[in-house]
Amino acid sequence: MLKTVTQENNILIILLTIILNYILFLSSSLLILIKLNFILFVFFTFYYFYKYEKNKFLILFLLALIIISLGTPTDSWDARSIWLFKAKEFFYDHSIISVKNNYAEFSHNNYPSIAPAFTASLSTLIGYWNEIYPKAGLTLMFIPPLIIISRFFDNNFFLISISIILFIVGKFLVNGELDGLVALYFVSSVIIIYNFKNLNNDIFYQCLILIFFLIILSLLKAEGTVLLLCSFIGSMFIFYKKKYLCKNLIISFFVSIIPVLIWNYFCIYNNIGNINNNSFDEIWNGEEMRQFRLKMLNDKPDARCKVCYEKEKTGNWSLRYAEIRKRHHDAKTYILNTEEDGSSLDSKPIYWDIRFSNICNMRCRMCGHFSSSRWFADAKAMREKYKDYHYGAFPPNQDIAIIHGVEDSTALLDRLDEYIPYVKEFYFAGGEPLIMEEHYRILKRLDELELYNVYIRYNTNFMQMHYKDLDVIDMWKKFKNVHVAASIDASGARGELIRKDTVWATIERNVERLAKEAPNVHFEVSPTVQILNILTISDLHREWVEKGYMKPELMFFNILVNPPYYNLKALPMELKEQAKETLEKQKILEDKIILASNKRKFNKMETLLKVILELGTCELFYFKNIPTNVSLSQYVKVGSSFLNDKEVGLINGILDKVSKNINNNG
């Protein structure tokens, strides 16, 4: 095979692997295909430099670029929050889905993404992501245009030219931005077009190379499409007398622009709808929603559901499975109400996930302005301080504290008022939903309609129970199914440190009041596990169970992913081991008790009884110098001071079984 590979073919293959990588990510292909494609890129690149490249300076220059890129900080907004952010997202999702789920709007999901996809493929091949070497993936994309430029100029001129470019705009070649790539791919395209005048019989290969260069140029940045059109107009002006060249160039340009047109179609038509621009009926029975229904009914995967599919592959429960299980009794009705074209004229939405804005009363350390209005002042200060670095983490076009997802929430709720009676579940999140006017308006409407059976769920920091003259706990008393997940990461001073503006005494007072006045409300704690609380998370659990704030099984953990400096991966190895040991000890104690009784009996035990059993088990397991009979009599005596005879007997029986299991099994 290699004997038939010519220099032009080699360049074509290198370009093709870059484009094919983009296609593989766009189509959510198998990881093995992404890895194999990148290996092909590396192989044919090495083959080209081994077989054809005589310019030793070019090789040294490319190596220098890679080394410098690895040692250059990613300090610009575009590099950090758009291009490398996208690459990281693609790496973890194995797909370009940001446009479909509109995740992280600040990263401009409608921007073309061929460069981030290529960067993600390098990390995919290596197997993990960090904040250093992915930039080398962007640097490798310089290889094709630099080959074209080096072939066009003699060595001396090339050396001088490239040195001048490096001196003037050098940082844009290595800091993770794409301006340098756009410039070089455009220059290369112009050189290829210029060389058309010297062509005789190999115009086909040159047209292919031009097409591939222009495709990549248009998919790098939006400016690339503009430059593509400029090169087209310029070439028509230069070659208008050479009809055969004009014909080939016209074909080349029209083929080149197809991928970016597809991308823009992909961006526009893969959102199910925008509540600010479309009526609810337009969204509910629009083309995209109809096609989505048909996919679901035919059991065809949709890229927007990729997170759920990935969880299901690992054997874990996904939101998709949970909702199917919860609403299986409604499935038949919805299926029967779905027409052949995917429309569902007789059905109404029964689940609302509501996040009106970023308004919040806290500045949690792992959060930012996009999710909390309280971070606005800090973000604005960062913009002023780091204005030479593209505003740091603060977008230049955002000059207000509250970011509204809905342009006119009052008008929206007026439009949606007729649909509220059909809703079976509301989920409120934020920002902080308990200080949002829209949330209280919906509750009041449900009260007016006496829809007290509706299921209402919250993700809240649980600090503020009042809005103007309204008391949310008083309102909750009327409803039969209220589920509150409180974002509480630690108790006392540590809790106040992690979620700044928290007043711990207020949290405790709110929890105690809720338990006393609204026992109908299902309350659970949902901490975000991170480096700031991993060593104390078991203490939080124990403390809240002991105080009677929650049942032992009602703590659900969210593992923090971003920002990376709070991620558990940032912990030194010795602290990781310490955290592991602490959590394992807690699990061991519970397992010993369950083994001696049974899980159902353990879950039904009163809090005080569980605490006495855990303390006794801890003493039997970790303090073996204390005689077993002494430990048993001690905890039976403690239990007799608070519990009835049956419960005291249960303590004696379970701890006796625990001691025997420990002696037999260790």
Side-chain angles (χ1 to χ4, degrees), residues 542 585-603 605 607-618 620-621 650-651 653-655 657-659 661-662:
R542 180 181 296 276
K585 283 182 178 179
Q586 179 74 17
K587 181 69 167 55
I588 287 171
L589 297 180
E590 187 172 299
D591 288 345
K592 295 288 183 186
I593 299 172
I594 291 173
L595 181 65
S597 53
N598 61 67
K599 191 169 185 178
R600 181 176 295 180
K601 186 184 290 185
F602 179 76
N603 290 338
M605 288 180 186
T607 301
L608 182 58
L609 178 57
K610 282 185 177 181
V611 170
I612 293 173
L613 287 171
E614 286 184 355
L615 290 170
T617 303
C618 179
L620 291 167
F621 192 75
L650 190 62
I651 291 173
I654 290 176
L655 290 182
K657 285 186 179 180
V658 167
S659 66
N661 289 334
I662 292 172

Side-chain angles (χ1 to χ4, degrees), residues 343-556:
S343 59
S344 186
L345 301 175
D346 296 329
S347 63
K348 306 292 182 186
I350 60 174
Y351 174 78
W352 286 13
D353 184 325
I354 302 175
R355 308 162 193 252
F356 279 97
S357 71
N358 72 327
I359 187 171
C360 191
N361 53 337
M362 287 188 184
R363 288 175 291 167
C364 302
R365 293 185 177 274
M366 55 282 189
C367 194
H369 178 225
F370 289 102
S371 299
S372 171
S373 56
R374 289 282 286 130
W375 273 108
F376 175 73
D378 298 86
K380 191 173 182 178
M382 288 179 65
R383 181 177 75 170
E384 296 301 320
K385 185 176 181 180
Y386 299 106
K387 55 186 176 182
D388 294 333
Y389 298 97
H390 295 255
Y391 306 107
F394 189 87
N397 61 344
Q398 184 60 59
D399 291 316
I400 56 174
I402 301 175
I403 304 172
H404 293 279
V406 177
E407 295 172 358
D408 188 344
S409 58
T410 300
L412 173 65
L413 289 175
D414 286 339
R415 284 192 286 138
L416 296 181
D417 196 63
E418 62 179 290
Y419 298 98
I420 287 180
Y422 301 98
V423 182
K424 295 184 179 182
E425 181 177 344
F426 289 92
Y427 175 63
F428 295 99
E432 170 50 45
L434 299 186
I435 62 174
M436 293 183 184
E437 182 180 0
E438 297 89 348
H439 155 254
Y440 288 91
R441 179 173 171 178
I442 291 174
L443 286 191
K444 288 172 69 175
R445 184 59 177 153
L446 292 172
D447 186 22
E448 292 170 359
L449 296 171
E450 299 183 354
L451 299 174
Y452 301 125
N453 287 323
V454 67
Y455 184 33
I456 306 173
R457 292 195 298 123
Y458 293 87
N459 187 299
T460 169
N461 57 48
F462 213 66
M463 263 290 293
Q464 194 163 319
M465 300 291 104
H466 296 83
Y467 177 79
K468 296 182 179 179
D469 60 338
L470 299 173
D471 185 311
V472 73
I473 292 180
D474 286 340
M475 300 180 79
W476 286 343
K477 293 176 185 177
K478 299 180 180 182
F479 296 91
K480 295 181 179 181
N481 299 294
V482 180
H483 186 126
V484 177
S487 298
I488 299 170
D489 302 320
S491 59
R494 184 175 292 273
E496 295 176 343
L497 172 71
I498 297 173
R499 296 187 180 267
K500 189 172 176 59
D501 302 315
T502 296
V503 179
W504 188 250
T506 301
I507 294 285
E508 290 192 309
R509 186 166 58 250
N510 290 338
V511 173
E512 290 170 355
R513 184 186 164 215
L514 181 70
K516 182 180 179 180
E517 298 183 19
N520 59 304
V521 176
H522 177 91
F523 179 82
E524 65 188 41
V525 178
S526 184
T528 299
V529 183
Q530 55 192 284
I531 63 171
L532 297 174
N533 67 352
I534 183 61
L535 297 178
T536 61
I537 200 76
S538 59
D539 297 334
L540 173 67
H541 181 268
R542 180 181 296 276
E543 178 186 338
W544 276 54
V545 171
E546 288 178 357
K547 289 184 177 181
Y549 292 162
M550 67 174 211
K551 295 180 180 179
E553 65 273 17
L554 295 183
M555 181 174 281
F556 298 90

Side-chain angles (χ1 to χ4, degrees), residues 193-211:
I193 294 170
Y194 177 82
N195 284 333
F196 271 35
K197 67 180 184 179
N198 301 318
L199 296 177
N200 293 316
N201 55 7
D202 61 345
I203 191 168
F204 175 75
Y205 287 101
Q206 291 304 308
C207 282
L208 278 180
I209 292 175
L210 176 63
I211 288 170

